Amino acid sequence: MHQAYRYQSFPFVAPPELSSGEVAHHPLIVIGCGPAGLAAAIDARQHGIPVLLLDDDDTVSVGSRGLCYAKRTLEILDRLGCGDSVVAKGVGWDVGRTFFREEEVFNFNLRPQTGSKRPGMVNLQQYYLEEYMVKRALDVGVQIRWKHEVTAVSPHDDHVALTVSTPEGSYQIKADWLIVADGARSPVRAMLGLDVEGKVFMDRFLIADVIMKADFPAERWFWFDPPFHPNQSVLLHREADDVYRIDFQLGWDANPEEEKKPERVIPRIKAMLGDEREFSLEWVSVYTFQCRRMRDFRHGRCLFAGDAAHQVSPFGARGANSGIQDADNLIWKLKLVMDGRAPLRLLDSYTDERGFGADENILNSTRSTDFITPKGPVSQTFRNAVLALSRSLPFARKLVNSGRLSVPSFLTDSVLNTPDSEPFTGDMVPGAPMDDAPLLKDGQLVWLIDQMIGQFQLLYFCEDASAVSVGMQRQLLGLHETSIPITTLVIAQRGSTPGLNVLLDHEGLAFSRYDATDGTCYVIRPDQHVAARWRETEVSRIVAAVARATANFVEE
Amino acid sequence: MSLITEPNFHEPGKRYFRDFSPGDDFYQLLIDTHRDLSESQSAMLNAKLILILANHVGDISVLREAMQIARQSTDAH
């Protein structure tokens, strides 16, 4: 096994505290070198925060594990500086085929919305994602300590104290803030005696990473009750490097240790491939899963992210994708609080917004689970009736649920939003994750999403940029001088204004996606969600919306 | 009016951002309605549900079309 990927072992380096005995004090410590912890660490560094990242292991994820990375995640990874490597190595796909018993009942095409930089979904083994993120983290100056296991946590009003155990002894360390991203079993959560609520699903799945030379197209194939694995489901995905990922549903009574043995796994795969195709096993695991979350993701100065804060079933690729979105939501808020530019309660919106995301993920993955593994005869009958009707009836196809693939949350109920006061059509409501669009900058094609710089920004739409009045120019430039700077992007149909960053909407997609008219403006948060919008641009309203989006202003 | 076979689930006052959400809302409601019933109780619930919904639809030509589709695709197996 392990032929497709060479696992690098990161060296343990004895920290200075071991010999000095001093208790160092850090602004931010992140625990856990998985996708959520790495995203948080990179983002924090990009905001200028010194970061110490601790991991109890010395390598990346073993086995493919997290597999599908969604468009929103790719956009965040772009902002974090690792999107290109993930997309270059990953396998793009948009066709999904659904089989019921012997035959294909229907297929779908995700047809990634044209006019966006990133596709709907890219498949890549988690070890590659982590490798690229580790490299990026080191490039931006994250200090990573491998083989450093946190063995005690002591929260205080103004700091958190940790005991860290290493191969050469243990030491004490302190942090102003602690981000806990140490995975589903979260030892730190247990040390703090915190609960995580939810349910365990009574089912087991076998995952196999298989290396083979096959001419299967890069598609997602999902079987309900196939002849080669009766009464259960099977999922096939293409990964990078001729690796295929196969998930077999086993049922609760399966014995995990027995099922992992090659003599059990190989016949299953042979039955599925149905021929004498050569393949080799790269990695095998048996998993069961839970859907649960912590009630609060912040406990004093300890902030929980990723699987440590919430877990979902794997259907729908909502694990690593949501962990990365946690970091995206958290870090800009933490930076403002650390700088004293926003009150502590801004961090409560992290629990509100990402808790909402976690609930949505749990709801969707629970529904998928209930469809894939019906809980009783009547559920099974309805499920099979939907599949049978899906051959011919469009409405039934929409009901087939083999996993609702990860999409970002519309944070429409967030207290950080300024509610609309004028009518708009389309989906770019306050709280929406912003839509991308192709634009021209100095005659070159650029993407709107790439113009976002991780700070508050104003999208100012106008027909003719040359016609922007001197007074308006001065006001827009003045927004950059406020205590929380707001940088303006002018999106125009034509013209230019010296001193302002003007992008031309040559295809008209930005205007239509944002339902913009001459003078419309949008306030965009550092995590690329819409905070406010109006048909007319007024500085006082913009400043008030940013105050609200940073919890600096609360309505009486 | 003829039988609607395109996705048609929706709820007044509710805004959906994902096309699968209204159908998933319905399906969960359906499965939850059967929770903790025996097989014969579920069969009875289904029969009642069909009668109530058939009366709501009212148009017998639509009901005939629906019954024919359901019957044909069941005969085939």
mmCIF file of all heavy atoms in Angstrom, chain A residues 31 44 71 118 198 207 251 307 315 325 347 397 405 440 443 515:
data_model
loop_
_atom_site.group_PDB
_atom_site.id
_atom_site.type_symbol
_atom_site.label_atom_id
_atom_site.label_comp_id
_atom_site.label_asym_id
_atom_site.label_seq_id
_atom_site.Cartn_x
_atom_site.Cartn_y
_atom_site.Cartn_z
ATOM 1 N N ILE A 31 -4.217 24.814 17.225
ATOM 2 C CA ILE A 31 -3.936 23.399 17.476
ATOM 3 C C ILE A 31 -4.571 22.566 16.370
ATOM 4 O O ILE A 31 -5.795 22.616 16.165
ATOM 5 C CB ILE A 31 -4.487 22.951 18.845
ATOM 6 C CG1 ILE A 31 -3.924 23.836 19.952
ATOM 7 C CG2 ILE A 31 -4.136 21.487 19.100
ATOM 8 C CD1 ILE A 31 -4.548 23.562 21.306
ATOM 9 N N ALA A 44 -4.605 34.009 9.325
ATOM 10 C CA ALA A 44 -4.141 34.886 10.405
ATOM 11 C C ALA A 44 -2.797 35.532 10.038
ATOM 12 O O ALA A 44 -2.589 36.728 10.242
ATOM 13 C CB ALA A 44 -4.016 34.092 11.708
ATOM 14 N N LYS A 71 -16.536 24.862 -5.020
ATOM 15 C CA LYS A 71 -16.193 26.171 -5.590
ATOM 16 C C LYS A 71 -15.869 27.205 -4.512
ATOM 17 O O LYS A 71 -14.877 27.917 -4.601
ATOM 18 C CB LYS A 71 -17.374 26.644 -6.439
ATOM 19 C CG LYS A 71 -17.259 28.044 -7.006
ATOM 20 C CD LYS A 71 -18.315 28.241 -8.094
ATOM 21 C CE LYS A 71 -18.356 29.652 -8.621
ATOM 22 N NZ LYS A 71 -19.095 30.575 -7.749
ATOM 23 N N ARG A 118 -13.775 29.607 -10.806
ATOM 24 C CA ARG A 118 -13.572 28.236 -10.330
ATOM 25 C C ARG A 118 -14.754 27.331 -10.676
ATOM 26 O O ARG A 118 -15.903 27.776 -10.689
ATOM 27 C CB ARG A 118 -13.360 28.257 -8.813
ATOM 28 C CG ARG A 118 -12.048 28.902 -8.394
ATOM 29 C CD ARG A 118 -10.873 28.292 -9.121
ATOM 30 N NE ARG A 118 -9.587 28.805 -8.663
ATOM 31 C CZ ARG A 118 -8.446 28.597 -9.312
ATOM 32 N NH1 ARG A 118 -8.420 27.914 -10.446
ATOM 33 N NH2 ARG A 118 -7.312 29.073 -8.840
ATOM 34 N N GLY A 198 -25.511 15.534 19.413
ATOM 35 C CA GLY A 198 -25.980 15.028 18.138
ATOM 36 C C GLY A 198 -26.133 13.540 18.181
ATOM 37 O O GLY A 198 -26.246 12.948 19.248
ATOM 38 N N ILE A 207 -14.024 2.420 2.837
ATOM 39 C CA ILE A 207 -13.459 3.289 1.806
ATOM 40 C C ILE A 207 -12.209 2.617 1.287
ATOM 41 O O ILE A 207 -11.364 2.181 2.080
ATOM 42 C CB ILE A 207 -12.909 4.633 2.322
ATOM 43 C CG1 ILE A 207 -13.715 5.180 3.468
ATOM 44 C CG2 ILE A 207 -12.713 5.611 1.208
ATOM 45 C CD1 ILE A 207 -13.094 6.477 3.992
ATOM 46 N N GLY A 251 -23.344 -1.648 6.246
ATOM 47 C CA GLY A 251 -24.348 -1.978 7.261
ATOM 48 C C GLY A 251 -23.699 -2.025 8.644
ATOM 49 O O GLY A 251 -22.483 -2.184 8.777
ATOM 50 N N ASP A 307 -13.905 19.950 12.335
ATOM 51 C CA ASP A 307 -14.561 18.785 12.943
ATOM 52 C C ASP A 307 -14.587 18.841 14.470
ATOM 53 O O ASP A 307 -15.435 18.195 15.091
ATOM 54 C CB ASP A 307 -13.859 17.483 12.515
ATOM 55 C CG ASP A 307 -14.192 17.088 11.083
ATOM 56 O OD1 ASP A 307 -14.985 17.794 10.430
ATOM 57 O OD2 ASP A 307 -13.651 16.064 10.618
ATOM 58 N N PHE A 315 -21.524 12.289 3.199
ATOM 59 C CA PHE A 315 -22.260 12.506 1.955
ATOM 60 C C PHE A 315 -22.410 14.001 1.710
ATOM 61 O O PHE A 315 -23.053 14.692 2.494
ATOM 62 C CB PHE A 315 -23.644 11.862 2.018
ATOM 63 C CG PHE A 315 -23.581 10.438 2.445
ATOM 64 C CD1 PHE A 315 -24.184 10.027 3.606
ATOM 65 C CD2 PHE A 315 -22.876 9.518 1.684
ATOM 66 C CE1 PHE A 315 -24.102 8.709 4.013
ATOM 67 C CE2 PHE A 315 -22.795 8.201 2.087
ATOM 68 C CZ PHE A 315 -23.404 7.793 3.259
ATOM 69 N N GLN A 325 -14.275 27.024 5.619
ATOM 70 C CA GLN A 325 -15.183 28.182 5.717
ATOM 71 C C GLN A 325 -15.252 28.731 7.137
ATOM 72 O O GLN A 325 -15.475 29.929 7.330
ATOM 73 C CB GLN A 325 -16.586 27.801 5.218
ATOM 74 C CG GLN A 325 -16.610 27.601 3.709
ATOM 75 C CD GLN A 325 -17.967 27.149 3.198
ATOM 76 O OE1 GLN A 325 -18.946 27.886 3.278
ATOM 77 N NE2 GLN A 325 -18.025 25.938 2.683
ATOM 78 N N LEU A 347 -17.142 38.199 17.994
ATOM 79 C CA LEU A 347 -16.821 36.774 17.916
ATOM 80 C C LEU A 347 -18.033 35.888 18.173
ATOM 81 O O LEU A 347 -18.045 34.722 17.774
ATOM 82 C CB LEU A 347 -15.693 36.435 18.893
ATOM 83 C CG LEU A 347 -14.332 37.040 18.513
ATOM 84 C CD1 LEU A 347 -13.314 36.768 19.609
ATOM 85 C CD2 LEU A 347 -13.840 36.482 17.177
ATOM 86 N N ARG A 397 -36.316 13.006 -10.141
ATOM 87 C CA ARG A 397 -34.848 13.145 -10.190
ATOM 88 C C ARG A 397 -34.361 14.113 -9.141
ATOM 89 O O ARG A 397 -33.332 13.930 -8.518
ATOM 90 C CB ARG A 397 -34.427 13.686 -11.569
ATOM 91 C CG ARG A 397 -34.292 12.598 -12.581
ATOM 92 C CD ARG A 397 -34.133 13.145 -13.978
ATOM 93 N NE ARG A 397 -34.902 12.273 -14.840
ATOM 94 C CZ ARG A 397 -35.313 12.564 -16.056
ATOM 95 N NH1 ARG A 397 -35.023 13.720 -16.600
ATOM 96 N NH2 ARG A 397 -36.009 11.687 -16.740
ATOM 97 N N LEU A 405 -24.171 18.324 -2.609
ATOM 98 C CA LEU A 405 -22.775 18.733 -2.533
ATOM 99 C C LEU A 405 -22.607 20.134 -1.942
ATOM 100 O O LEU A 405 -23.424 21.017 -2.153
ATOM 101 C CB LEU A 405 -22.147 18.649 -3.921
ATOM 102 C CG LEU A 405 -22.160 17.207 -4.467
ATOM 103 C CD1 LEU A 405 -21.788 17.178 -5.938
ATOM 104 C CD2 LEU A 405 -21.228 16.322 -3.669
ATOM 105 N N LEU A 440 -13.015 43.330 -17.065
ATOM 106 C CA LEU A 440 -11.784 43.768 -17.729
ATOM 107 C C LEU A 440 -11.114 44.827 -16.866
ATOM 108 O O LEU A 440 -11.758 45.779 -16.421
ATOM 109 C CB LEU A 440 -12.094 44.359 -19.105
ATOM 110 C CG LEU A 440 -12.543 43.399 -20.209
ATOM 111 C CD1 LEU A 440 -12.779 44.186 -21.504
ATOM 112 C CD2 LEU A 440 -11.518 42.292 -20.444
ATOM 113 N N GLY A 443 -7.925 46.394 -19.882
ATOM 114 C CA GLY A 443 -8.008 45.567 -21.085
ATOM 115 C C GLY A 443 -7.760 44.085 -20.860
ATOM 116 O O GLY A 443 -7.910 43.281 -21.771
ATOM 117 N N ASP A 515 -27.960 42.660 -9.788
ATOM 118 C CA ASP A 515 -29.142 43.477 -10.086
ATOM 119 C C ASP A 515 -28.810 44.962 -9.917
ATOM 120 O O ASP A 515 -29.509 45.701 -9.224
ATOM 121 C CB ASP A 515 -30.318 43.075 -9.163
ATOM 122 C CG ASP A 515 -31.586 43.860 -9.503
ATOM 123 O OD1 ASP A 515 -31.750 44.201 -10.687
ATOM 124 O OD2 ASP A 515 -32.382 44.130 -8.586
#
